[in-house]
Amino acid sequence: MVRTHYEALLEAALQGARLEKHDLITLLSAETPEELSMLFAAAYRMKLRYVGGVVRLRGLIEISNICVKNCHYCGIRRGNTALARYTMTREEILDAARLALEFDYGSVVLQAGERCDREWADWIAGIIREIKELSGGRLGITLSLGEETRETYRKWFEAGAHRYLLRIESSNPELYAKMHPADHHFARREQCLADLGEIGYQVGTGVMTGLPRQDATDLAEDILFFRRHDVDMIGMGPYIPHPATPMGRECGDFDPARALLGARKMIAVTRLALRDVNIASTTALQALAPDGREQGLLSGANVIMPNMSPAANRPAYALYTGKPGLDENAEETRAALEKAIAMIGEKIGYGEWGDAPHSVPKRR
Ligand code: SAH
Ligand code: SF4
């Protein structure tokens, strides 16, 4: 049988070849059903080999939708004045953390819009300490709270957080500039990623896929960016237009099936290139198809962030339209997830922090 160039490239990747930019572009350009199924199968093999068929869970607590930023794509941007703003109380956050402990999730993610004031930094540090205390150190804590000063990052690390997610959104500075107001700087974000790593966090970054004017070369550069920054975790998801945003208003027809496929291709090629990192199958995938997160796992992802937020807060944390699970509570989210993961024959890594093998030498 004649092997295609595409097939040969996948085999080389599985045998340990380092994928260069032109290889990544070729792999990301899969279009035919044969290429796509070969790509996903190869990425899945790579995942089993390096991180196993165990899904790592991080209970996601969306602690506030107040944000000082105005990213052109995001539904909770400062300029969306129609949105009711909330911040969970300390007790509500601790209750969500207790629930994550009871569910044996192993770790939580505290996520919010960005706030850079001192009061916020201290309040978050206090909450991190309390979560550590109430769980006897058992819950791992990941933060996803945007750009902060080095001092604040250090304060939160010393309080007990050990992983931080900050997406670069696009590693192409020109694309980045188009997606953000002029006072949001690519270089500043890159500096934050460097600061986080130096402080000792396991660092996660990622991009949105399917952005207007983004092509396979941009995505290949994104993967090279992840490699250059030696990141431990990748959180990527499809861009989903939100009508209350400048980009959402400009966007023409949105094709969910195409967006989902694009995100899966990016997950698969990232797994083939980076091998032993944690890759999230994000909620945005599930917004595009009921089994979107399972499709993400089957394309090479190994982390899921089940929502722990109280049902009452969920509609107000709409980063994009069609966010799933808005009428569910944490218990229902867990039941649905367990069923879905069992369906694809994977296991859940209960009770573990679930750090990526890539970050083991850096573990505290
Ligand atoms: N404020 C923090 C964390 C909350 S936003 C931060 O910006 O890092 C978390 C992620 O949501 C962002 O990194 C972005 O990639 C994603 N997001 C925002 N708007 C989106 C949209 N319209 N479609 C898909 N993802 C979106
Ligand atoms: Fe704020 Fe994050 Fe949304 Fe930007 S992406 S507006 S920083 S919540």
Side-chain angles (χ1 to χ4, degrees):
M1 201 176 87
V2 184
R3 272 193 331 173
T4 60
H5 173 57
Y6 200 88
E7 203 174 354
L9 199 51
L10 289 174
E11 269 176 34
L14 283 168
Q15 279 163 22
R18 182 183 167 90
L19 296 172
E20 302 301 342
K21 183 171 162 183
H22 58 274
D23 302 322
L24 298 172
I25 295 173
T26 304
L27 291 178
L28 285 162
S29 306
E31 282 297 340
T32 66
E34 293 75 26
E35 285 172 348
L36 289 166
S37 68
M38 278 192 294
L39 170 65
F40 298 138
Y44 198 73
R45 275 177 65 191
M46 194 68 109
K47 156 174 146 168
L48 292 184
R49 195 183 296 168
Y50 282 90
V51 296
V54 180
V55 183
R56 306 291 170 184
L57 298 183
R58 285 91 179 80
L60 176 63
I61 311 175
E62 296 162 334
I63 62 180
S64 174
N65 69 352
I66 296 175
C67 189
V68 299
K69 288 278 191 73
N70 224 359
C71 306
H72 293 326
Y73 43 84
C74 178
I76 67 169
R77 66 199 300 270
R78 187 185 70 221
N80 184 4
T81 48
L83 189 66
R85 302 288 168 165
Y86 75 89
T87 300
M88 288 170 74
T89 64
R90 177 184 146 272
E91 226 6 89
E92 282 170 337
I93 299 170
L94 298 181
D95 280 348
R98 280 189 202 100
L99 205 57
L101 198 64
E102 189 185 306
F103 290 173
D104 210 14
Y105 278 179
S107 75
V108 288
V109 181
L110 306 184
Q111 192 181 75
E114 209 171 289
R115 264 182 65 178
C116 305
D117 50 291
R118 180 72 193 266
E119 191 190 339
W120 173 250
D122 289 342
W123 188 69
I124 294 289
I127 284 174
I128 295 170
R129 271 197 203 92
E130 289 197 76
I131 294 177
K132 278 285 163 193
E133 218 171 280
L134 73 83
S135 69
R138 280 200 291 144
L139 276 180
I141 302 180
T142 306
L143 302 178
S144 174
L145 301 171
E147 293 173 16
E148 295 288 344
T149 61
R150 230 181 131 85
E151 187 198 1
T152 299
Y153 285 149
R154 193 182 298 283
K155 184 180 286 181
W156 292 344
F157 185 73
E158 282 166 2
H162 83 292
R163 297 188 286 233
Y164 204 104
L165 298 171
L166 182 68
R167 291 186 180 176
I168 192 69
E169 312 295 358
S170 168
S171 68
N172 175 340
E174 279 169 35
L175 209 51
Y176 187 93
K178 288 201 179 94
M179 289 152 60
H180 296 95
D183 61 350
H184 296 27
H185 300 291
F186 180 85
R188 163 96 186 96
R189 189 154 279 235
E190 212 175 2
Q191 183 58 49
C192 285
L193 290 170
D195 288 346
L196 289 163
E198 275 167 36
I199 289 168
Y201 283 97
Q202 290 171 31
V203 180
T205 192
V207 296
M208 284 180 283
T209 60
L211 288 163
R213 294 179 284 273
Q214 181 189 51
D215 60 20
T217 306
D218 293 316
L219 294 171
E221 289 285 2
D222 291 339
I223 296 174
L224 297 176
F225 178 95
F226 305 153
R227 187 147 76 190
R228 211 164 48 243
H229 283 262
D230 193 26
V231 296
D232 305 295
M233 320 171 279
I234 319 274
M236 291 179 300
Y239 162 62
I240 305 176
H242 188 297
T245 63
M247 270 171 65
R249 279 189 290 267
E250 264 171 31
C251 194
D253 283 345
F254 176 70
D255 178 349
R258 186 144 191 92
L260 179 58
L261 189 62
R264 288 181 62 197
K265 285 201 276 186
M266 183 63 172
I267 289 173
V269 180
T270 303
R271 172 63 68 200
L272 288 169
L274 302 186
R275 302 177 196 153
D276 61 354
V277 295
N278 276 345
I279 302 180
S281 188
T282 52
T283 315
L285 294 170
Q286 198 192 352
L288 299 180
D291 66 344
R293 283 189 310 185
E294 293 88 280
Q295 292 196 43
L297 294 173
L298 293 170
S299 313
N302 68 318
V303 172
I304 282 189
M305 295 164 45
N307 200 333
M308 308 297 300
S309 303
N313 287 347
R314 294 187 182 196
Y317 200 84
L319 303 168
Y320 43 81
T321 34
K323 204 166 160 233
L326 295 188
D327 54 354
E328 278 176 8
N329 62 29
E331 180 75 57
E332 289 160 336
T333 300
R334 175 178 74 150
L337 184 64
E338 280 187 340
K339 203 165 141 204
I341 292 175
M343 288 266 287
I344 61 165
E346 294 206 339
K347 289 198 174 59
I348 295 181
Y350 281 116
E352 296 165 0
W353 286 10
D355 294 331
H358 187 80
S359 55
V360 165
K362 294 181 230 164
R363 191 176 281 162
R364 293 166 80 193

